Amino acid sequence: MEELSSEASDGEVLEKLRRHIRILVDIGRLAGETVDLDRFLDQAVVQVSRAVEINQVKILQYRPRRADLLVVAGVGWKEGVVRTTTLSSDLRSAPGRAFQTAEPVIVKNLNEQHEFVLSDFLKEHGIISLANVPVLTDGAAWGVLEVDSTIPRDFSEDTTDFLSAAAALIGAFVQRHKARPDQGRLIAAATEAQNRGLLLREMQHRVKNSFQLVLASISLQKRRYSGGQVHRALDHVATRINAISLAHDQLAPQQEGQTVRLSDYIVALCSSLRQQTEQIEFDVDCDELELSIDRAVPLGLILNEIAMNSIKHAFGADGGRISVGLAGGIGYGEARLTVSDNGRGIKNPSEGGSGLKLIASLAKQIGGSIDQKSSDSGTSTSVRFPLIR
């Protein structure tokens, strides 16, 4: 947090900058994954909230006919605010000043200044500090990205730079969206809506056949080679392929794309792993969350790798138990997957192991971070990741 009285250490500053970079990458990736403006803006405010660790974030769009700023996306506000609430665009309004001047506007404490008018909207939500940066398209202001805090905040130069970078990505997406022909967009949307279900079923069928062919090929290779090490390696590859296959089984068509219900996916994956082991039980407790297929597959592979490591190394002849938990509402628009075992712990972790490298690489793909703790009573590994659909 950047409260007025706090002084961040060099390590904290470095970690904050790293988080900012990771989230800017996520926003950029999101911009390349969708063509829907509302969906992009809705997800962008969640990412900004994560980065600056503030609950209230909004994007305001200037409406020339009404000369006001409409809240077109937001997180942390009361129900009914987004896409209905408007703010003044004049110079006595902080977002209006940012829009009119195309320059960032920072207010450390609204109660200790007389330059800007405190709107009823901000009063109702108890806002004390705020930061505004313009969202530019074609070199002119399209709107404003604003973060609001209910406690005094001294927004640092690093935070302002992050907000400006995020606003630039938002502006680039808005510009690209404006450049698309309306008629073409309508035709594409109608075609997608008509064919989504049919295409999904056909894709699932073909993908399932492809996975079956690959698994059959692996089974054939096992028969050709008698070495136990080769069999273990091929079995590990097979579990990874099966994890991807199970994700495609859980696909559901949505207006914004193809999503996976994570609770169903994780239950199916754990059930499959359980069938491959003896004397090892799985406990699963999952919140009802959804994720795009592109993000669900890496998460499933992470779960597969962690569970397989436990199955191979954590237990003795008496077996044990693996607990898997999925929780939403973690931090700022994030979720956490936790995999724990009651085994003997990690004695000599191999930092160069291919499994650990794969887990780290997969976590990076979804903008997540890995944390692992181990003792004589077991090992717990968690991955924290943004909920982007």
Side-chain angles (χ1 to χ4, degrees):
M1 299 291 289
E2 295 173 294
E3 297 182 32
L4 291 178
S5 60
S6 65
E7 293 184 2
S9 67
D10 290 343
E12 290 172 336
V13 171
L14 180 59
E15 178 55 33
K16 181 182 72 174
L17 292 176
R18 287 173 174 168
R19 183 175 71 250
H20 286 179
I21 292 171
R22 289 196 301 268
I23 291 175
L24 286 173
V25 170
D26 275 343
I27 295 175
R29 184 183 293 119
L30 179 64
E33 293 175 349
T34 181
V35 296
D36 184 85
L37 178 60
D38 288 343
R39 176 175 180 258
F40 172 77
L41 297 179
D42 288 342
Q43 296 290 345
V45 292
V46 173
Q47 295 291 68
V48 171
S49 175
R50 291 179 57 223
V52 299
E53 298 183 324
I54 284 182
N55 289 322
Q56 286 94 356
V57 179
K58 58 181 177 286
I59 295 174
L60 304 162
Q61 179 183 1
Y62 179 68
R63 300 192 298 180
R65 291 186 178 181
R66 297 178 180 271
D68 61 10
L69 293 165
L70 173 68
V71 180
V72 290
V75 62
W77 306 105
K78 294 181 179 179
E79 186 176 355
V81 166
V82 176
R83 301 188 179 96
T84 59
T85 299
T86 60
L87 298 176
S88 172
S89 65
D90 64 35
L91 295 176
R92 290 279 288 163
S93 158
R97 176 80 62 87
F99 173 78
Q100 296 284 1
T101 64
E103 293 289 340
V105 173
I106 309 297
V107 182
K108 297 180 181 179
N109 194 321
L110 286 165
N111 297 328
E112 298 177 357
Q113 59 82 42
H114 303 286
E115 188 175 6
F116 299 103
V117 175
L118 180 58
S119 68
D120 292 338
F121 170 77
L122 295 180
K123 290 179 182 177
E124 181 182 359
H125 287 86
I127 302 303
I128 300 296
S129 302
L130 53 83
N132 293 273
V133 294
V135 176
L136 305 177
T137 61
D138 288 332
W142 169 87
V144 176
L145 169 63
E146 178 174 316
V147 297
D148 305 83
S149 175
T150 57
I151 61 174
R153 293 282 295 256
D154 185 8
F155 295 98
S156 67
E157 182 178 351
D158 292 333
T159 297
T160 305
D161 288 343
F162 165 80
L163 292 173
S164 297
L169 290 172
I170 294 168
F173 185 91
V174 170
Q175 178 61 37
R176 189 184 73 186
H177 185 269
K178 288 166 59 178
R180 295 187 67 206
D182 289 341
Q183 186 63 30
R185 186 162 60 249
L186 290 173
I187 293 174
T191 302
E192 180 183 3
Q194 182 178 3
N195 296 329
R196 187 181 298 116
L198 178 62
L199 291 176
L200 177 61
R201 288 190 295 273
E202 178 65 20
M203 184 196 72
Q204 286 176 308
H205 178 71
R206 293 188 179 186
V207 168
K208 195 69 175 179
N209 285 345
S210 297
F211 284 133
Q212 289 171 346
L213 288 173
V214 174
L215 291 172
S217 177
I218 291 174
S219 179
L220 178 62
Q221 294 300 316
K222 285 181 64 177
R223 290 196 293 270
R224 289 180 176 177
Y225 299 96
S226 58
Q229 187 173 355
V230 173
H231 281 201
R232 285 192 294 272
L234 290 173
D235 285 341
H236 202 162
V237 172
T239 65
R240 293 169 177 170
I241 295 171
N242 186 59
I244 301 173
S245 177
L246 288 173
H248 283 269
D249 289 344
Q250 306 299 329
L251 270 178
Q254 301 288 342
Q255 184 176 358
E256 66 273 13
Q258 296 166 352
T259 64
V260 171
R261 181 171 292 179
L262 287 179
S263 56
D264 292 347
Y265 179 31
I266 290 173
V267 168
L269 184 53
C270 289
S271 176
S272 176
L273 290 169
R274 172 65 185 87
Q275 294 170 19
Q276 302 173 45
T277 63
E278 294 182 2
Q279 296 182 312
I280 296 176
E281 298 297 330
F282 280 81
D283 293 328
V284 182
D285 183 14
C286 296
D287 288 350
E288 294 292 334
L289 303 175
E290 291 185 342
L291 207 61
S292 68
I293 181 68
D294 293 337
R295 289 175 174 266
V297 166
L299 191 67
L301 288 172
I302 290 172
L303 168 56
N304 183 81
E305 291 299 312
I306 298 171
M308 289 302 297
N309 284 342
S310 293
I311 291 170
K312 287 181 177 181
H313 307 296
F315 307 113
D318 295 333
R321 185 172 297 276
I322 296 175
S323 298
V324 179
L326 177 69
I330 304 297
Y332 298 85
E334 297 177 319
R336 180 188 292 119
L337 173 70
T338 304
V339 185
S340 305
D341 65 54
N342 63 348
R344 50 184 166 240
I346 300 175
K347 304 301 181 183
N348 296 302
S350 173
E351 295 182 358
S354 60
L356 292 176
K357 287 182 178 179
L358 178 60
I359 290 171
S361 176
L362 291 167
K364 186 177 180 181
Q365 285 183 33
I366 59 175
S369 59
I370 296 289
D371 180 60
Q372 186 176 77
K373 298 178 181 178
S374 188
S375 67
D376 292 340
S377 59
T379 300
S380 178
T381 306
S382 64
V383 54
R384 184 166 172 164
F385 59 96
L387 273 176
I388 300 178
R389 293 176 56 192

